[in-house]
Amino acid sequence: MDERYMRRAIELALGGLGKVNPNPLVGAVIVKDGKVLAEGYHAKYGELHAERSAFSKLDENADAQSAFGADMYVTLEPCCHYGKQPPCTQAIIEHGIKNVFIGSHDPNSLVAGKGVKQLREAGINVIEGVLEKECDAINPVFFHYIMTKTPYIVMKYAMTLDGKIACDTGESKWVTGEDARNHVQKTRNALTGIMVGVQTVINDNPSLTCRIKDGRNPVRIICDSYLRIPDNSDILKTANKIKTIIATISNDTQRISQVERMGAIVVKTESFNDKVDLKDLMHKLGVLGIDGILLEGGGTLNHSALEAGIVNHVQAYIAPKIFGGSGRYTPVSGKGAMSPDSAYMLENLKMLKFESDILLEYDIINKGR
């Protein structure tokens, strides 16, 4: 039964996808005598946390006292500090909860065991690690960001059965079918940022927006070492409406001012091999509050990201098509591995099947420089 209620809390937590960043996804369920009294989740950044959301359902029904002696299942250790919301531990204590079942530990130094300690000192029985792996799995972005202060990077690409991301002509619309492309939109909605190289902007003129109902447009990040982005690109034409960051090493103050006047934010980075230093860029984006990024670049940017060691997760969509031709349009370019032992290694396979395409997802084991 404990796992059943925690699974429900996980299901609730996912309702906050794309709305709570840089906060974590959290769900909570209040149970008494085998009956669910109330449920809640963190629905939007700045609004009620999951525990207080659940309690609010009781309070709305003038039944606040019914939680006395009840159990609470929460996917993440309750917070114990004041932020945009007051401490959840305080609400748990005030409502007389008897047992608190927790999934994940909170690595945030403001919590990190202090929430559990506060509850126990108040006489509440705390059971930790309930479906811990499953609870951890919904918050890789939060855990990475809170511990490193840099964004969690998801490298995504779509390719044919013969490993091509485009025809030799450069045409790439569309490698995969509609279902798979709709899934990409969900990922765009879930992550705070989306990043491509300037050559992708020059070649494809993408908008890099989220095209789902009630979706959130990600912050658009363009790696543009020498500010080659065209003024008539859809990215710059909409930069005053959709937050856009241009990462560069250029010292051309006139061009920088011109791009900024169009609404974009120019971020200067250190230089690595005469290009934007992606490691330095990640630290700068972290300071700007960007906790997760979908990398939708071509082979060159993908290779640079792997080489820099910034990639955490890979999504590879595979379509039942064969393009043929040269090896020009490959998902990852560069010199390539010199031997199988020196390849980038992956683990934790997950597979999704769409109408005609499949998506393979992995975590990166070995990082680059």
Side-chain angles (χ1 to χ4, degrees):
M1 294 300 292
D2 292 343
E3 292 186 356
R4 171 189 167 188
Y5 294 131
M6 189 60 79
R7 284 200 172 88
R8 175 55 182 162
I10 292 171
E11 183 182 356
L12 290 165
L14 295 174
L17 269 173
K19 302 179 182 71
V20 302
N21 310 67
N23 283 354
L25 297 168
V26 186
V29 178
I30 302 172
V31 181
K32 188 174 182 180
D33 299 327
K35 177 185 176 182
V36 175
L37 299 183
E39 302 176 333
Y41 68 97
H42 186 27
K44 188 176 180 180
Y45 179 72
E47 296 185 357
L48 291 177
H49 289 181
E51 299 92 327
R52 288 185 175 271
S53 172
F55 286 132
S56 72
K57 307 298 192 304
L58 295 175
D59 297 341
E60 285 172 3
N61 299 324
D63 199 19
Q65 297 303 313
S66 66
F68 188 84
D71 300 332
M72 172 170 272
Y73 296 81
V74 60
T75 56
L76 183 70
E77 179 181 2
C79 67
C80 55
H81 62 96
Y82 282 88
K84 289 189 175 295
Q85 293 291 329
C88 290
T89 52
Q90 182 184 73
I92 293 170
I93 294 167
E94 290 174 350
H95 281 83
I97 296 294
K98 181 180 180 181
N99 301 295
V100 176
F101 297 82
I102 296 172
S104 297
H105 296 281
D106 191 338
N108 187 342
S109 60
L110 295 173
V111 186
K114 299 181 184 73
V116 169
K117 183 173 183 281
Q118 196 173 106
L119 293 175
R120 285 177 173 155
E121 287 177 347
I124 296 173
N125 183 39
V126 179
I127 300 90
E128 302 177 74
V130 180
L131 292 185
E132 185 172 9
K133 287 185 177 180
E134 288 88 337
C135 290
D136 287 352
I138 66 174
N139 278 312
V141 173
F142 170 73
F143 292 143
H144 177 84
Y145 181 67
I146 205 71
M147 290 187 289
T148 68
K149 303 302 180 187
T150 61
Y152 181 91
I153 306 298
V154 177
M155 186 175 80
K156 165 260 167 184
Y157 54 84
M159 67 181 187
T160 63
L161 280 175
D162 57 338
K164 301 298 175 58
I165 62 172
C167 298
D168 277 0
T169 60
E171 181 63 41
S172 62
K173 294 183 179 180
W174 296 104
V175 174
T176 54
E178 186 175 358
D179 285 351
R181 298 199 301 274
N182 288 339
H183 187 266
V184 173
Q185 297 302 315
K186 292 179 180 179
T187 307
R188 286 187 180 186
N189 178 64
L191 295 172
T192 302
I194 184 169
M195 187 165 77
V196 300
V198 68
Q199 197 60 49
T200 295
V201 177
I202 292 170
N203 292 347
D204 301 336
N205 193 27
S207 60
L208 303 181
T209 54
C210 179
R211 296 185 292 276
I212 61 175
K213 185 179 180 181
D214 300 322
R216 172 190 64 171
N217 286 326
V219 177
R220 303 177 301 188
I221 304 152
I222 314 300
C223 291
D224 186 2
S225 299
Y226 300 103
L227 293 178
R228 296 188 296 129
I229 186 169
D231 288 349
N232 64 349
S233 65
D234 285 345
I235 295 292
L236 280 187
K237 286 194 295 184
T238 58
N240 59 347
K241 298 177 182 178
I242 303 170
K243 188 172 182 179
T244 303
I245 295 172
I246 311 295
T248 188
I249 59 172
S250 173
N251 292 314
D252 186 340
T253 55
Q254 184 176 351
R255 178 59 178 153
I256 290 172
S257 296
Q258 185 179 9
V259 170
E260 289 178 334
R261 281 196 299 271
M262 297 187 75
I265 300 167
V266 176
V267 172
K268 292 282 295 294
T269 75
E270 299 293 331
S271 173
F272 181 78
N273 290 338
D274 295 324
K275 294 180 180 179
V276 166
D277 186 326
L278 293 179
K279 275 196 170 184
D280 183 49
L281 176 60
M282 292 307 107
H283 287 287
K284 287 180 166 63
L285 294 177
V287 170
L288 294 175
I290 296 175
D291 61 342
I293 295 173
L294 179 61
L295 180 61
E296 285 204 25
T300 300
L301 184 58
N302 287 344
H303 169 254
S304 296
L306 286 167
E307 184 182 41
I310 66 170
V311 179
N312 301 100
H313 191 75
V314 177
Q315 292 184 336
Y317 293 83
I318 303 176
K321 300 175 182 178
I322 295 175
F323 282 172
S326 72
R328 179 182 176 189
Y329 289 99
T330 174
V332 179
S333 61
K335 294 180 179 178
M338 299 302 293
S339 69
D341 289 341
S342 62
Y344 294 104
M345 305 302 291
L346 306 99
E347 62 181 356
N348 300 330
L349 166 67
K350 287 193 295 184
M351 183 173 72
L352 286 176
K353 185 180 183 300
F354 304 100
E355 183 175 357
S356 58
D357 310 303
I358 62 171
L359 164 63
L360 302 181
E361 295 192 57
Y362 297 90
D363 293 323
I364 289 281
I365 299 175
N366 56 323
K367 301 294 184 72
R369 63 179 173 88

